Amino acid sequence: MRHILPLKYIDAVAKAGSIRAAAEELSITASALNRRILAMEQELGVEIFERHSTGVYLNSAGEILIQHIRTQMADLERVKSRIADLSGLRLGHVRIAATRETTRYFLPRQILKYRDMFPGVTFDVNGMNRDDVERRLVAHDADIMVAFQPQKLAEVHTLIHARQDIQCLVSVDHPLAKERELRLADCIEYNLLLSPKGEGVRQLVEAAMLRKGLKCNPVIESNDPAFLERVAMEGGGVAFAIPIAISAFHAERTLKSIPLKQGEVEPGFLFVGQLRNRTLSVAAAKFVEEMRKAIEV
């Protein structure tokens, strides 16, 4: 355990890109932190940071070391979680890298429900673009990924794979609100509200429009699902979302969620995964199982 603290110092500097910024986060002085880093470099017999006027950056040796550090820290977290489980206490810290469709409603609900059962478990959730999710996992900055239509899964062991059909979102007084199902041709007669190119929902909608010879010209693009939902709620156009990203409260009172006709748009898939050849902590593994139950209902 004694050697874990210096490893955390190096990890903090690597993430901050600055000894001063990392020192503030760690609540120690910059000079003390710098001495610890120099001592570690002396022990290794090689420098691990390149020092520039703009900050400090890992060199090739540092990149090798940081992978070892993050593996060690993840292993320690799993051990602590297993020990706590033996005593009947569910403790631990779960780090999640997630695409923004999942952080709007799904993950907040699941985390709060889980913490009702196990209040000793803490969470770190980062919403990001889908091409960054796996990168975060591979860098050992996350224990699990929760992603809609991830770009690739080369180093990911899939734990949950669930279909998600695209839905249309309009205000309750929108001309389309009375329809039971829609075609894409119906939607383009009104303002299209879409996520940026490359995002999961946008990719599926755009591909379907291309197959049908329709032009995909959104009037508003945003990587924030909450923003697009709000514009739709105010009658500003037609947004698109997956079921787990739609609030039941809004869907009943201010937004109408309307399915697309069968075959209009290919379904997407929600993935929950962990890094291959890694073992999840007890807390993280149990959280995955609780997510599975919610998705399969």
Side-chain angles (χ1 to χ4, degrees):
M1 294 288 187
R2 186 173 54 189
H3 297 293
I4 294 297
L5 198 56
L7 300 186
K8 285 188 175 181
Y9 289 156
I10 293 170
D11 185 51
V13 174
K15 287 178 178 176
S18 160
I19 289 178
R20 185 174 299 278
E24 290 178 2
E25 182 182 336
L26 295 166
S27 299
I28 63 173
T29 66
S31 59
L33 179 56
N34 190 50
R35 286 196 300 272
R36 291 177 182 273
I37 298 299
L38 291 173
M40 178 64 78
E41 289 180 325
Q42 185 175 8
E43 183 179 341
L44 291 169
V46 64
E47 291 186 352
I48 55 178
F49 286 104
E50 295 179 3
R51 292 162 172 82
H52 301 279
S53 59
T54 55
V56 294
Y57 308 95
L58 291 169
N59 59 21
S60 297
E63 291 287 355
I64 294 171
L65 178 62
I66 204 68
Q67 289 300 316
H68 168 73
I69 287 172
R70 289 171 180 169
T71 298
Q72 291 287 95
M73 290 168 66
D75 286 344
L76 178 61
E77 191 61 41
R78 283 192 294 276
V79 170
K80 288 163 61 179
S81 180
R82 291 179 65 185
I83 291 171
D85 216 50
L86 285 175
S87 63
L89 299 172
R90 182 62 50 79
L91 301 173
H93 184 63
V94 182
R95 301 169 302 159
I96 303 173
T99 53
R100 293 182 179 90
E101 300 94 340
T102 68
T103 60
R104 178 75 170 128
Y105 297 112
F106 176 69
L107 280 174
R109 284 194 295 258
Q110 297 310 308
I111 289 171
L112 290 175
K113 180 181 176 183
Y114 187 84
R115 278 185 44 76
D116 280 343
M117 296 185 289
F118 307 109
V121 177
T122 57
F123 286 82
D124 178 359
V125 182
N126 285 280
M128 59 195 67
N129 297 332
R130 60 183 181 145
D131 54 348
D132 293 325
V133 172
E134 185 172 355
R135 192 176 305 128
R136 189 98 181 198
L137 199 66
V138 171
H140 295 272
D141 286 335
D143 304 307
I144 58 176
M145 57 169 274
V146 183
F148 178 66
Q149 293 293 97
Q151 293 279 42
K152 56 181 181 178
L153 295 166
E155 299 187 65
V156 175
H157 171 59
T158 299
L159 302 168
I160 300 174
H161 175 225
R163 173 172 170 152
Q164 293 283 295
D165 293 305
I166 305 297
Q167 305 274 309
C168 302
L169 298 179
V170 296
S171 63
V172 290
D173 55 359
H174 192 279
L176 295 176
K178 63 181 182 298
E179 301 295 334
R180 298 185 63 181
E181 56 183 9
L182 293 171
R183 298 172 302 146
L184 289 173
D186 302 323
C187 299
I188 62 173
E189 294 181 15
Y190 300 91
N191 295 331
L192 295 180
L193 314 172
L194 283 168
S195 52
K197 282 182 175 290
E199 290 298 289
V201 171
R202 171 68 176 268
Q203 184 180 56
L204 292 169
V205 171
E206 202 165 40
M209 287 188 172
L210 182 63
R211 288 195 303 270
K212 295 174 179 297
L214 302 173
K215 291 186 177 180
C216 184
N217 296 319
V219 299
I220 297 177
E221 297 180 66
S222 175
N223 67 354
D224 183 354
F227 175 79
L228 294 177
E229 182 182 284
R230 186 69 195 184
V231 175
M233 193 185 303
E234 296 291 339
V238 182
F240 299 87
I242 56 176
I244 64 164
I246 300 170
S247 162
F249 176 85
H250 286 155
E252 291 173 4
R253 294 166 176 79
T254 54
L255 270 181
K256 182 73 180 296
S257 173
I258 309 172
L260 287 157
K261 288 182 180 290
Q262 188 172 2
E264 280 289 296
V265 177
E266 291 293 320
F269 290 88
L270 175 72
F271 286 82
V272 177
Q274 67 182 80
L275 196 62
R276 288 188 187 278
N277 302 317
R278 300 295 296 167
T279 303
L280 289 178
S281 68
V282 174
K286 178 63 177 174
F287 181 65
V288 170
E289 286 309 305
E290 293 301 315
M291 281 196 292
R292 188 192 310 278
K293 293 176 187 176
I295 292 168
E296 292 177 353
V297 168

